[in-house]
PDB file of all heavy atoms in Angstrom:
ATOM      1  N   MET L   1    -120.239 136.921  34.072  1.00 86.00           N
ATOM      2  CA  MET L   1    -120.683 135.760  34.878  1.00 86.00           C
ATOM      3  C   MET L   1    -119.743 135.633  35.964  1.00 86.00           C
ATOM      4  O   MET L   1    -118.456 135.537  35.776  1.00 86.00           O
ATOM      5  CB  MET L   1    -120.724 134.494  34.064  1.00 86.00           C
ATOM      6  CG  MET L   1    -121.639 133.327  34.698  1.00 86.00           C
ATOM      7  SD  MET L   1    -121.824 131.901  33.637  1.00 86.00           S
ATOM      8  CE  MET L   1    -123.081 132.398  32.577  1.00 86.00           C
ATOM      9  N   SER L   2    -120.268 135.478  37.234  1.00 93.00           N
ATOM     10  CA  SER L   2    -119.360 135.419  38.383  1.00 93.00           C
ATOM     11  C   SER L   2    -118.894 133.979  38.605  1.00 93.00           C
ATOM     12  O   SER L   2    -119.434 132.965  38.081  1.00 93.00           O
ATOM     13  CB  SER L   2    -120.328 135.872  39.622  1.00 93.00           C
ATOM     14  OG  SER L   2    -121.078 134.981  40.038  1.00 93.00           O
ATOM     15  N   LYS L   3    -117.918 133.850  39.539  1.00 96.00           N
ATOM     16  CA  LYS L   3    -117.420 132.471  39.905  1.00 96.00           C
ATOM     17  C   LYS L   3    -118.591 131.597  40.433  1.00 96.00           C
ATOM     18  O   LYS L   3    -118.654 130.514  40.170  1.00 96.00           O
ATOM     19  CB  LYS L   3    -116.325 132.698  40.887  1.00 96.00           C
ATOM     20  CG  LYS L   3    -115.595 131.438  41.311  1.00 96.00           C
ATOM     21  CD  LYS L   3    -114.441 131.637  42.215  1.00 96.00           C
ATOM     22  CE  LYS L   3    -113.890 130.487  42.807  1.00 96.00           C
ATOM     23  NZ  LYS L   3    -112.783 130.602  43.716  1.00 96.00           N
ATOM     24  N   ALA L   4    -119.451 132.304  41.251  1.00 95.00           N
ATOM     25  CA  ALA L   4    -120.594 131.506  41.871  1.00 95.00           C
ATOM     26  C   ALA L   4    -121.476 131.026  40.785  1.00 95.00           C
ATOM     27  O   ALA L   4    -122.064 129.957  40.721  1.00 95.00           O
ATOM     28  CB  ALA L   4    -121.343 132.400  42.842  1.00 95.00           C
ATOM     29  N   ASP L   5    -121.634 131.962  39.716  1.00 96.00           N
ATOM     30  CA  ASP L   5    -122.628 131.592  38.621  1.00 96.00           C
ATOM     31  C   ASP L   5    -122.069 130.365  37.859  1.00 96.00           C
ATOM     32  O   ASP L   5    -122.790 129.370  37.553  1.00 96.00           O
ATOM     33  CB  ASP L   5    -122.883 132.691  37.584  1.00 96.00           C
ATOM     34  CG  ASP L   5    -123.439 133.899  38.122  1.00 96.00           C
ATOM     35  OD1 ASP L   5    -124.002 133.804  39.465  1.00 96.00           O
ATOM     36  OD2 ASP L   5    -123.753 134.922  37.525  1.00 96.00           O
ATOM     37  N   ILE L   6    -120.746 130.348  37.662  1.00 97.00           N
ATOM     38  CA  ILE L   6    -120.082 129.362  36.808  1.00 97.00           C
ATOM     39  C   ILE L   6    -120.161 128.060  37.602  1.00 97.00           C
ATOM     40  O   ILE L   6    -120.490 127.000  37.059  1.00 97.00           O
ATOM     41  CB  ILE L   6    -118.676 129.795  36.448  1.00 97.00           C
ATOM     42  CG1 ILE L   6    -118.703 130.945  35.397  1.00 97.00           C
ATOM     43  CG2 ILE L   6    -117.892 128.565  35.953  1.00 97.00           C
ATOM     44  CD1 ILE L   6    -117.425 131.503  35.218  1.00 97.00           C
ATOM     45  N   ALA L   7    -119.802 128.095  38.937  1.00 97.00           N
ATOM     46  CA  ALA L   7    -119.799 126.865  39.661  1.00 97.00           C
ATOM     47  C   ALA L   7    -121.160 126.275  39.838  1.00 97.00           C
ATOM     48  O   ALA L   7    -121.431 125.064  39.710  1.00 97.00           O
ATOM     49  CB  ALA L   7    -119.297 127.141  41.148  1.00 97.00           C
ATOM     50  N   ALA L   8    -122.268 127.212  39.990  1.00 97.00           N
ATOM     51  CA  ALA L   8    -123.622 126.524  40.019  1.00 97.00           C
ATOM     52  C   ALA L   8    -123.987 125.951  38.807  1.00 97.00           C
ATOM     53  O   ALA L   8    -124.562 124.851  38.724  1.00 97.00           O
ATOM     54  CB  ALA L   8    -124.532 127.642  40.425  1.00 97.00           C
ATOM     55  N   ARG L   9    -123.707 126.621  37.688  1.00 97.00           N
ATOM     56  CA  ARG L   9    -124.174 126.196  36.414  1.00 97.00           C
ATOM     57  C   ARG L   9    -123.346 124.828  36.091  1.00 97.00           C
ATOM     58  O   ARG L   9    -123.843 123.853  35.492  1.00 97.00           O
ATOM     59  CB  ARG L   9    -123.678 127.085  35.366  1.00 97.00           C
ATOM     60  CG  ARG L   9    -124.064 126.588  33.914  1.00 97.00           C
ATOM     61  CD  ARG L   9    -123.699 127.548  32.882  1.00 97.00           C
ATOM     62  NE  ARG L   9    -124.992 128.383  32.577  1.00 97.00           N
ATOM     63  CZ  ARG L   9    -125.080 129.345  31.958  1.00 97.00           C
ATOM     64  NH1 ARG L   9    -124.106 129.853  31.290  1.00 97.00           N
ATOM     65  NH2 ARG L   9    -126.252 130.065  31.648  1.00 97.00           N
TER      66      ARG L   9
END
Side-chain angles (χ1 to χ4, degrees):
M1 196 176 282
S2 74
K3 183 178 176 181
D5 294 359
I6 293 167
R9 178 177 269 172

